[in-house]
Amino acid sequence: MFNALVIDKKNDAQQAQLQKLDLDQLPQEDVLVRVAYSTLNYKDALAITGASPIARQFPMVPGIDFSGVVERSTHPDYQKGDQVLVNGWGLGETHWGGLAEYAAVPAKYLIRVPEPFQLRDTMLIGTAGYTAMLCVLALEQQGITPDKGPVLVTGAAGGVGSVAIAVLAKLGYEVAALTGREHEADYLKHLGAKHILPRSEYSKPPRPLGKEQWAAAIDVAGGNTLANVCASMKYYGVVAACGLAESMSFPSSVAPFILRGIKLIGVESVYAPVELRLRAWRRLATDLDPALLATMLAKEIPLEQTLETAQQLLDGKIRGRVVVKLN
């Protein structure tokens, strides 16, 4: 028997609770992993609280990522004792996820923990950090280099924002941090942000065009914020969009695109090909200052505290990363 957080739905009411499960209840997959660490992401919090219909089948174990040690494998690429991690692939949505002491997944979901990271390190970074690195790669692919001008990061005190700022700053970019938590200014400057901007400047209804300010941006918000970011881009600027923390809507116009030639690039991390995942993790190993990882940790919690912490995360009371220790 092992401990797991389980979301179930009865009479159209969704509820998450801790349960004892048997290994036989896990999906029948190639690899059984003894989970060491998982995380609590914004998406997990939506699923656990029922604030958004993330889980698509029930019962469901939430947790969009985890790291751990292979306990049993029928696939030749993985042997007992291998240290592995998973990001995305529908965990916590269509496939049982990482907020449990054991997880069974197809071998194709896994990658080995890259050096020099330890199991805990990979979840300090987590899907949020991996997504941030995908955004940086997307900007680089579009030719955005430090000499092009400043880069704006929205949702700056969150998981994606924290890693994005740290990576961009280490690569030599001038970074501006947009946040609704201006009291976190010292934290954001420690990560490498040169400018701190209040979220209120970008949450108001957007105009078609604003003052040219940014060569590039990484956005986790959507909604008015993303529209205002696009309106304030410099000519031929690039926006990498990866989240909807504010809204799924995009109340913009064609003006920034046809009058300034900007590009809006969607960054998708859940089903990214393995080659891109490996590239992102290799870059994290070189472009993320390991000394900053501890700074990004909001808290490390046991599985039993995930319910209350999920609501705190949605309420905007947590900055940085939440790591869940399982084994």
Side-chain angles (χ1 to χ4, degrees), residues 216-248:
I218 293 176
D219 177 65
V220 303
N224 285 349
T225 295
L226 176 57
N228 279 308
V229 167
C230 289
S232 62
M233 298 304 293
K234 292 185 174 184
Y235 274 80
Y236 305 108
V238 180
V239 180
C242 65
L244 43 71
E246 179 183 309
S247 174
M248 189 180 288

Side-chain angles (χ1 to χ4, degrees), residues 84-150:
V84 295
L85 68 93
V86 181
N87 300 110
W89 290 112
L91 293 188
E93 300 178 70
T94 58
H95 193 287
W96 281 17
L99 290 173
E101 293 176 331
Y102 284 90
V105 294
K108 69 177 183 178
Y109 289 7
L110 300 170
I111 64 172
R112 284 183 170 80
V113 172
E115 294 182 355
F117 296 127
Q118 303 296 316
L119 289 168
R120 184 174 179 271
D121 297 334
T122 64
M123 289 299 105
L124 265 171
I125 297 168
T127 293
Y130 148 71
T131 302
M133 192 70 241
L134 291 179
C135 289
V136 174
L137 292 175
L139 296 183
E140 290 179 342
Q141 189 174 20
Q142 296 299 319
I144 300 297
T145 51
D147 60 289
K148 294 293 175 60

Side-chain angles (χ1 to χ4, degrees), residues 26-33 66 70 72-78 84-92 94-97 103-112 271 274 277:
L26 287 169
Q28 298 300 305
E29 299 290 359
D30 301 334
V31 185
L32 175 67
V33 179
F66 67 81
V70 173
R72 185 174 65 235
S73 174
T74 59
H75 195 281
D77 288 350
Y78 295 97
V84 295
L85 68 93
V86 181
N87 300 110
W89 290 112
L91 293 188
T94 58
H95 193 287
W96 281 17
V105 294
K108 69 177 183 178
Y109 289 7
L110 300 170
I111 64 172
R112 284 183 170 80
Y271 297 106
V274 172
R277 293 169 183 267

